[in-house]
């Protein structure tokens, strides 16, 4: 099945700094979904990317799908304390979650 | 729309006891998933249903875990007998269809096995 590797596993940033997490696959992905899980909460769907080279924005969050559909990234501009949590990318042919990237914000 | 409902929210049992979790997906969602999430790890897929049929149960420890979705709506996940390593949050999720639909998660059941 399609699986993805996500880096980094942990990231500490100062509030106001930018943050990026990357997803990589050895195979071409049909599409990819991103989820956010707050501490103590459940994963919440953020977005789905389908097209090669696609870029989507949600306020301070920018999602990209690579031209070859083998990688994806999530970039957060000017992080806030509300961004704390673990971000997961999921290849949708088989909904398998990896370890995600845990984001900590330093005040 | 009402979200995915799960019960109970918390459960504490002793090892070798049995436990059951219940999930009511979003109305009209054909696909239902059970995940196990151990502290600090990503959710691990245990079983996926499409209506009342099993699509994938390759990671379900079938010697102790069972799940059913008899009428294609509600689902139950059972552990019998429980082991210490089963302590985790059990998440139920549903999606409109298989492959490419967003997953909607319930609040989960936190299981502690002592």
């Amino acid at each position: 099945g399609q699986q993805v590797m996500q880096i980094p596993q942990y990231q500490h940033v100062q509030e106001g700094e930018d943050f990026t997490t990357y997803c990589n696959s050895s195979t071409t992905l049909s599409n990819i979904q991103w989820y956010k899980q707050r501490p103590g909460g459940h994963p919440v769907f953020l977005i789905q990317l389908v097209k090669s080279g696609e870029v989507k924005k949600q306020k301070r969050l920018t999602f990209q799908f690579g031209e070859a559909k083998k990688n994806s990234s999530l970039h957060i501009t000017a992080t806030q304390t509300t961004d704390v949590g673990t971000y997961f990318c999921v290849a949708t042919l088989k909904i398998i979650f990896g370890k995600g990237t845990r984001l900590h914000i330093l005040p | 729309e009402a979200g995915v409902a799960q019960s109970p929210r918390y459960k504490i049992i002793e090892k070798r006891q049995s436990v059951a979790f219940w999930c009511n997906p979003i109305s009209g969602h054909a696909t239902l998933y059970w995940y196990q999430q151990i502290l600090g790890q990503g959710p691990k897929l245990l079983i996926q249903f499409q209506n009342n049929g099993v699509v994938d149960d390759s990671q379900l420890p079938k010697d102790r875990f069972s799940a059913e979705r008899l009428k294609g709506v509600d689902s139950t996940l059972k552990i019998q007998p429980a082991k210490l390593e089963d302590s985790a949050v059990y998440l139920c999720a549903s999606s409109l269809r298989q492959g490419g639909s967003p997953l909607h998660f319930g609040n989960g059941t936190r299981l502690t096995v002592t």
Side-chain angles (χ1 to χ4, degrees):
Chain A
Q2 294 182 324
Q3 292 198 29
V4 292
M5 298 298 295
Q6 199 170 345
I7 54 169
Q9 198 167 341
Y10 302 96
Q11 184 81 59
H12 292 78
V13 299
Q14 289 287 145
E15 188 174 5
E17 290 184 339
D18 292 357
F19 159 76
T20 305
T21 173
Y22 301 89
C23 242
N24 296 296
S25 171
S26 57
T27 60
T28 301
L29 302 170
S30 51
N31 46 36
I32 197 160
Q33 294 176 347
W34 284 91
Y35 292 79
K36 175 185 178 182
Q37 185 173 24
R38 293 179 188 267
H42 56 271
V44 174
F45 173 77
L46 294 176
I47 210 155
Q48 177 165 284
L49 303 173
V50 178
K51 299 177 184 175
S52 166
E54 189 170 17
V55 178
K56 287 189 177 180
K57 292 191 176 184
Q58 289 179 352
K59 297 182 181 178
R60 296 178 294 103
L61 277 61
T62 302
F63 303 85
Q64 290 191 328
F65 205 5
E67 293 289 341
K69 298 184 75 174
K70 288 186 175 182
N71 54 72
S72 180
S73 65
L74 159 58
H75 179 82
I76 302 178
T77 304
T79 54
Q80 299 175 0
T81 54
T82 53
D83 296 324
V84 165
T86 303
Y87 293 84
F88 296 97
C89 61
V90 179
T92 59
L93 199 62
K94 198 168 184 179
I95 309 293
I96 294 177
F97 285 72
K99 295 180 180 179
T101 296
R102 190 171 300 175
L103 174 63
H104 295 270
I105 307 288
L106 304 170
Chain B
E1 65 182 3
V4 175
Q6 283 190 252
S7 67
R9 281 289 274 132
Y10 305 93
K11 190 74 178 178
I12 301 173
I13 61 173
E14 295 181 351
K15 59 183 179 184
R16 291 187 289 272
Q17 286 187 323
S18 62
V19 64
F21 313 125
W22 174 81
C23 173
N24 188 0
I26 292 174
S27 177
H29 279 198
T31 312
L32 186 146
Y33 310 79
W34 282 102
Y35 287 88
Q36 178 194 59
Q37 188 170 27
I38 292 172
L39 190 63
Q41 299 183 16
K44 171 188 169 184
L45 179 66
L46 293 176
I47 190 166
Q48 177 185 343
F49 291 95
Q50 180 70 15
N51 296 310
N52 61 349
V54 175
V55 173
D56 184 356
D57 62 357
S58 57
Q59 296 206 86
L60 187 74
K62 297 179 187 65
D63 58 334
R64 299 184 300 106
F65 285 64
S66 64
E68 59 183 15
R69 194 186 183 197
L70 291 175
K71 296 182 180 178
V73 181
D74 293 10
S75 178
T76 55
L77 175 70
K78 295 178 182 177
I79 308 175
Q80 182 179 7
K83 293 185 175 181
L84 295 176
E85 58 260 38
D86 298 332
S87 294
V89 175
Y90 290 84
L91 293 162
C92 178
S94 69
S95 65
L96 197 58
R97 60 182 183 276
Q98 190 175 223
S101 288
L103 268 64
H104 299 263
F105 284 84
N107 288 327
T109 297
R110 183 176 298 276
L111 174 67
T112 302
V113 182
T114 62

